[in-house]
Amino acid sequence: MTDAELLALAAEGRESAVEELLTRYKSMVTALARRYFLVGGDAEDLVQEGMIALYRAIGTYDPLHGGFAAYAGSCVKNRMLDAIKSANRDKHRPLNDYVPFPEEDELPSFGDSPEEIAIAREGNRDFAKRLDEALTDGEKTLLGAYLAGRSYKEMAASMSLTVKQVDSSLQKLKKKILKLTSR
């Protein structure tokens, strides 16, 4: 079937026609995605954005304005560029600069000998002292709330902050703690 026939069937609500068009143009979407880089994402994220744009293009295409391939290509390219611009905005910086707390299995383990336990306790005391000296009172409060399992919304309400400020503060706090652990 031609694109025009499939588009006519898609306009009538035939999902099989939409699926055929999506399959037919997926290689175009993939080729366009290879041209760009998405901060904080991967090529598959751009392909997904492109497939969403292609799906919408199938529903909004008007044959009076030219061929479908050109229209779909333009829609896909514009959606990818919008995603890239959006990812590069400062409001996404906390997500792009995200540094996770170490997982339990990534933390150093110590044996059961008395010497190793004493060394571990001394190291923990030393770290706790450095942490206490390095953190402000607000950071200590925030860390305590985070470790207690409170939600960002709860922390924001109790500390008179916005959820975004809590997230930003936690990211800075995580970086500070990571610096202390690398000493």
Side-chain angles (χ1 to χ4, degrees):
M1 295 182 104
T2 66
D3 286 353
E5 292 169 331
L6 288 171
L7 287 162
L9 291 173
E12 294 173 4
R14 292 260 186 92
E15 285 298 315
S16 59
V18 172
E19 288 174 21
E20 174 62 30
L21 285 165
L22 289 172
T23 302
R24 189 175 286 185
Y25 284 93
K26 181 169 174 127
S27 60
M28 176 206 58
V29 171
T30 304
L32 281 171
R34 284 190 200 124
R35 294 183 186 177
Y36 303 109
F37 174 75
L38 182 63
V39 174
D42 59 16
E44 195 57 39
D45 292 333
L46 280 177
V47 170
Q48 185 177 17
E49 290 290 331
M51 292 303 290
I52 291 168
L54 178 59
Y55 181 80
R56 288 186 179 162
I58 293 168
T60 60
Y61 174 68
D62 184 354
L64 299 175
H65 298 294
F68 177 72
Y71 176 73
S74 178
C75 290
V76 168
K77 181 180 175 185
N78 289 340
R79 174 81 181 233
M80 287 180 185
L81 291 175
D82 286 347
I84 291 166
K85 287 177 190 172
S86 177
N88 287 330
R89 290 190 189 123
D90 281 343
K91 72 178 191 174
H92 295 291
R93 190 169 312 275
L95 292 174
N96 295 336
D97 295 340
Y98 172 73
V99 177
F101 276 126
E103 294 294 324
E104 224 175 281
D105 59 343
E106 295 172 344
L107 296 173
S109 62
F110 299 97
D112 292 326
S113 75
E115 296 87 13
E116 290 174 325
I117 292 171
I119 291 170
R121 285 184 180 158
E122 186 177 326
N124 288 341
R125 277 192 296 269
D126 179 52
F127 178 73
K129 182 180 176 189
R130 286 187 292 141
L131 188 63
D132 188 53
E133 292 169 355
L135 299 183
T136 66
D137 290 339
E139 288 172 330
K140 291 174 192 173
T141 303
L142 184 65
L143 179 60
Y146 180 82
L147 294 175
R150 296 183 62 198
S151 72
Y152 282 30
K153 200 174 194 177
E154 291 171 328
M155 288 186 276
S158 69
M159 298 179 76
S160 301
L161 299 170
T162 65
V163 173
K164 186 174 183 177
Q165 288 172 318
V166 167
D167 181 60
S168 178
S169 297
L170 279 173
Q171 294 304 321
K172 289 176 188 173
L173 185 58
K174 288 175 187 179
K175 287 179 184 178
K176 198 181 244 189
I177 291 171
L178 281 174
K179 283 182 183 176
L180 285 172
T181 60
S182 64
R183 286 185 186 173

